[in-house]
Amino acid sequence: MFNKKTIKDMDFQGKKALVRVDFNVPLKNGVITDDTRVVAALPTIQYLLAHGAAVILCSHLGRPKTAADLEYSMRPVAEYLGTLVKVPVHFAEDCIGPVAEAAASSLKMGEVLVLENTRFHPEETKNDEGMSRALASLADIFVNDAFGSAHRAHSSTVGVADYLPACAGFLLEKEIEYLDRAIEDPKRPFVAILGGAKISDKIGVIKNLLAKADTILIGGGMANTFLKAKGYEMGDSLVEADAIETAASLIAEGGSKLILPVDMVLADAFDNNALTRIVEAGDVPAGWRCLDIGPKSIALFSELVAGAGTVVWNGPMGVFEMPNFAKGTFEVAKAVAESKAISIIGGGDSASAINQSGLADKISHISTGGGASLEMLEGIILPGLAALADR
Ligand code: AMP
């Protein structure tokens, strides 16, 4: 059960709501190339406007080094939001201080103000008290709807909640509810699929899931380190030497729950046009590297996904940016979409694979936060959630 106050528990009539959204969108030459996160924030924004609030939105965007890094300005996002909502959307060239204060005080009920990138102030990521107070001074109520940033204890996600009544938006609530239910009360069998480059990022996740899931399917570069731990030579494959011991102990702990690829696609160079061959999982000759799972692994993984009650997927099965090594990832995406299971995609590359396949509407929930969903899978309580008022 979601036990934090949400926007439905608050009265917004005539109030200014400071909403932390996750507008950390990909931009190319000032144009948003994927608007998922902006669209995902609309239900909360529209609810607040319909309930008599003035809406002040703040977010970080990328990792700017200084405030002069206008490549990371929130202005294009504000302009884009203006095309999605039917009310005036203003933009303030700072998120705190006189410019933000003037813009917030002249904002009318039923209007939206987008503040400049919170990370233009280095105090943001230090959860600085002064910055938190300055943000809080702009509004009457704080709403956190930024699931993608909820694993960060920053001024705009955590600190500000000390100085205003603080509640969750619809997106944050939905994300937490989906992941929480999958982990704590899953429809079984609960199958987790983990991929991506490295084990080292996901050791905590695998440990936690070994206690919660029925089956964990491992693909991607991280499978190489597990295969190395089983004693295979991995040739020129990506292997994390300092994670081999951990991989061996996870294999011992996981027993039959932990399922590795049974075959693999090898390449003689890290190049889409490299020579390839498909082999059973085993020794990889020198000069060759494993860049995708093979057809037998795809069949095995797909069968287990088809029989699942709950599927959670995070991380590609191979180097899916190269079309010749994308098959494992796209076939697994298809299996997840076709399965009758409650399906949750943990953001990032897996979400992008599902979107590219045109299968997004067949998934129960696609998370907007890769890092935050991984921390939830690891069993960590997100600081951005902990900071909100209990119901
Ligand atoms: P992560 O950020 O850990 O989720 O990893 C995603 C990256 O892992 C993608 O850019 C993939 O290209 C990469 N990846 C997946 N499988 C492999 C592999 N077998 N060898 C090298 N890189 C891989």
Side-chain angles (χ1 to χ4, degrees), residues 215-283:
T215 303
I216 304 179
L217 309 175
I218 306 271
M222 62 192 282
N224 297 339
T225 305
F226 279 106
L227 293 170
K228 179 80 182 177
K230 286 185 71 171
Y232 296 126
E233 288 307 323
M234 293 307 291
D236 289 359
S237 303
L238 173 73
V239 170
E240 281 173 279
D242 49 8
I244 296 171
E245 238 171 82
T246 309
S249 70
L250 290 171
I251 290 172
E253 193 186 330
S256 59
K257 265 191 185 182
L258 201 67
I259 297 186
L260 299 175
V262 290
D263 60 351
M264 45 200 178
V265 180
L266 303 185
D268 70 346
F270 192 80
D271 186 322
N272 187 47
N273 299 316
L275 271 183
T276 61
R277 56 203 242 205
I278 293 168
V279 297
E280 307 281 311
D283 289 332

Side-chain angles (χ1 to χ4, degrees), residues 10 16 63 65 70 75 103 179 224 227 258 275 315 334 378 383-384:
M10 313 296 250
K16 286 185 177 145
R63 293 170 187 254
K65 292 198 180 64
L70 286 181
R75 188 188 287 276
L179 277 154
N224 297 339
L227 293 170
L258 201 67
L275 271 183
K334 207 165 117 201
E378 197 171 341

Side-chain angles (χ1 to χ4, degrees), residues 18-34:
L18 175 70
V19 188
R20 178 45 157 108
V21 284
D22 177 10
F23 281 175
N24 184 26
V25 290
L27 282 168
K28 222 177 208 166
N29 304 322
V31 178
I32 298 171
T33 55
D34 180 347

